[in-house]
Amino acid sequence: MNLNSSEYKAVVTVALIMATRLLGIFLILPVFSVYAERYPGSDLTMAGIAFGIYALAQSILQLPFGWASDRLGRKPVLVIGILLFTAGSVYCGMEDSIKGLIIARLIQGSGAVSSVAIASLGDVTRPQVRAQSFTIVGVSIGVAFLLAIVAGPYLAAKIGFSGLFYILAALGAVSLLISLFFFPAIEKEEPVAARAGLWRIATMPEMRSLYTASLVVSLLVNLFVFVFPLSWKALGVSDEGLWKVYLITLIPTALFVFPYIRSAEKRRALPAATKAAWGLIALAFLVYPAGAGYSLILYGAGMAYFAGHTIMQSLLPAFLTQTVGQEKRGSATGIYNLLSFFGSSLGGMLSGYLYQMNPSVPLIFGFILIILWGLTGLPQPPDSAVSE
């Protein structure tokens, strides 16, 4: 089954909003640990705090934003969040101390609209094409990630780390314009009286594995992207040369992930896709510590990790929005993203501290976490979607 025309237009619009905003965030990922350490008063631990504080703010505010979107509508809450993100990005560009950067990143992270975007995508698509929808968004985000990872090191070398934050602000403004003029109209399908309380949503047994996966996957990505550029720096790759590394590393993800997920959805083989994603992530963390001194092993670990991460990030929100109905989708995705950004925050803050102990410690810690996650049970698609 394929997307119809109205679904396709809505998905493309949401994809553009998310990808444009995240393009800016991704620009700083490959160089953040390198440049933030150079701020006055900074070290790797402080750089890790600046890296992770954005995700902490996102984590705290995901639930209020998702809850508000269930009651006030998706669009107005989305616009408010993007405005906060844009203003915070300008503030980041103006700061010249690590403490000031931490405060600015906190403000930047207060525009917590991921749960709103995920809920809206669930609102405008049928359950039968939900995984495809999220894969399109995931691939668009993946393309943004690829562009940003390639361009970030180059731009940082040319215009400076602060200049990147002004680009973030400009991209936030573009995302805001798309939201204002093209965001799809969403009609309420459920009466207010049918809404479930937050506690009931948070304790739904069928959501437990999704919430766990959200936390773990996001923690792992910040561990990986903090260590990855530092490993290449240790091999003698310059700041400006990092874009070539990321370009090569992300090619398999850009070429193969969407066709694979589309095929898996049509064959009703999404549980196998989840296991494959987990296996790729585990493989990356397993081989990385032993091969960090060899470029070929680093390339292979990076390819495996980013492919597995992209598959998992496409499947998890699809499973979630199939499990809950529209009247509680914003709240459910708020909880999901709260845990996601809490994991990102924890991963970002731990990464600098663990790396200072030994460059392999973040990866060993991540691998142990991956194994424990697999033992607790990976998320599965619901047998049937809740009535839409």
Side-chain angles (χ1 to χ4, degrees):
M1 185 174 294
N2 295 319
L3 296 165
N4 61 39
S5 59
S6 62
E7 287 174 326
Y8 184 77
K9 290 177 183 178
V11 170
V12 169
T13 299
V14 173
L16 285 173
I17 292 169
M18 294 183 70
T20 303
R21 187 177 70 93
L22 289 173
L23 174 61
I25 289 297
F26 293 151
L27 279 172
I28 63 174
L29 281 183
V31 296
F32 196 99
S33 56
V34 174
Y35 282 90
E37 189 186 7
R38 301 174 186 174
Y39 276 68
S42 184
D43 55 24
L44 276 174
T45 299
M46 292 293 284
I49 292 172
F51 187 50
I53 198 72
Y54 170 89
L56 179 62
Q58 289 273 308
S59 172
I60 293 170
L61 293 173
Q62 285 298 322
L63 184 53
F65 270 75
W67 177 87
S69 76
D70 282 340
R71 285 144 183 80
L72 304 178
R74 311 289 188 218
K75 183 173 180 176
V77 176
L78 184 67
V79 168
I80 291 170
I82 295 175
L83 281 171
L84 288 170
F85 167 81
T86 304
S89 298
V90 173
Y91 188 14
C92 285
M94 296 170 61
E95 284 299 329
D96 58 3
S97 70
I98 190 63
K99 291 182 179 178
L101 180 62
I102 289 171
I103 295 171
R105 288 275 287 168
L106 184 66
I107 296 172
Q108 185 189 45
S110 65
V113 295
S114 295
S115 59
V116 182
I118 290 174
S120 66
L121 198 59
D123 295 340
V124 297
T125 57
R126 292 163 293 160
Q128 296 88 348
V129 295
R130 195 71 49 77
Q132 290 182 54
S133 303
F134 279 101
T135 304
I136 291 172
V137 173
V139 169
S140 69
I141 292 173
V143 171
F145 186 80
L146 176 60
L147 291 173
I149 291 296
V150 170
Y154 177 81
L155 290 173
K158 293 297 183 182
I159 64 175
F161 188 54
S162 295
L164 288 182
F165 287 111
Y166 293 118
I167 294 179
L168 264 71
L171 290 169
V174 172
S175 183
L176 178 64
L177 291 174
I178 297 172
S179 301
L180 286 171
F181 295 107
F182 300 103
F183 189 76
I186 298 173
E187 296 182 2
K188 288 288 184 181
E189 298 177 3
E190 304 279 353
V192 173
R195 292 176 180 143
L198 289 177
W199 177 250
R200 181 181 173 187
I201 296 170
T203 56
M204 291 171 64
E206 59 270 34
M207 298 292 288
R208 199 167 297 144
S209 64
L210 286 167
Y211 291 152
T212 300
S214 177
L215 175 69
V216 173
V217 169
S218 297
L219 191 154
L220 292 173
V221 70
N222 271 10
L223 285 178
F224 196 90
V225 299
F226 191 92
V227 174
F228 196 62
L230 295 175
S231 296
W232 285 101
K233 290 282 290 181
L235 291 179
V237 176
S238 66
D239 295 350
E240 190 171 343
L242 284 172
W243 73 268
K244 298 176 184 178
V245 170
Y246 284 103
L247 176 62
I248 295 170
T249 302
L250 289 165
I251 285 174
T253 297
L255 292 179
F256 301 118
V257 166
F258 177 69
Y260 172 69
I261 293 180
R262 185 177 182 183
S263 173
E265 186 171 45
K266 289 183 176 180
R267 293 183 289 108
R268 302 182 66 84
L270 293 180
T274 305
K275 293 176 182 177
W278 177 87
L280 288 169
I281 294 171
L283 178 64
F285 274 80
L286 176 63
V287 303
Y288 195 136
Y294 303 94
S295 59
L296 285 178
I297 294 179
L298 282 182
Y299 275 126
M303 289 175 181
Y305 175 75
F306 288 119
H309 175 79
T310 302
I311 293 170
M312 193 68 75
Q313 287 288 62
S314 298
L315 296 179
L316 295 180
F319 295 170
L320 181 143
T321 54
Q322 288 176 354
T323 304
V324 295
Q326 187 193 56
E327 88 288 353
K328 52 190 174 183
R329 190 169 287 140
S331 298
T333 55
I335 297 168
Y336 172 88
N337 281 289
L338 183 155
L339 292 169
S340 174
F341 281 101
F342 178 75
S344 294
S345 175
L346 188 60
M349 292 181 181
L350 280 174
S351 54
Y353 174 75
L354 295 175
Y355 189 89
Q356 286 191 131
M357 295 172 60
N358 185 286
S360 295
V361 171
L363 301 163
I364 295 170
F365 170 76
F367 181 70
I368 293 171
L369 185 62
I370 292 165
I371 297 302
L372 293 174
W373 172 35
L375 292 174
T376 61
L378 298 177
Q380 301 293 328
D383 292 333
S384 59
V386 173
S387 175
E388 298 287 304

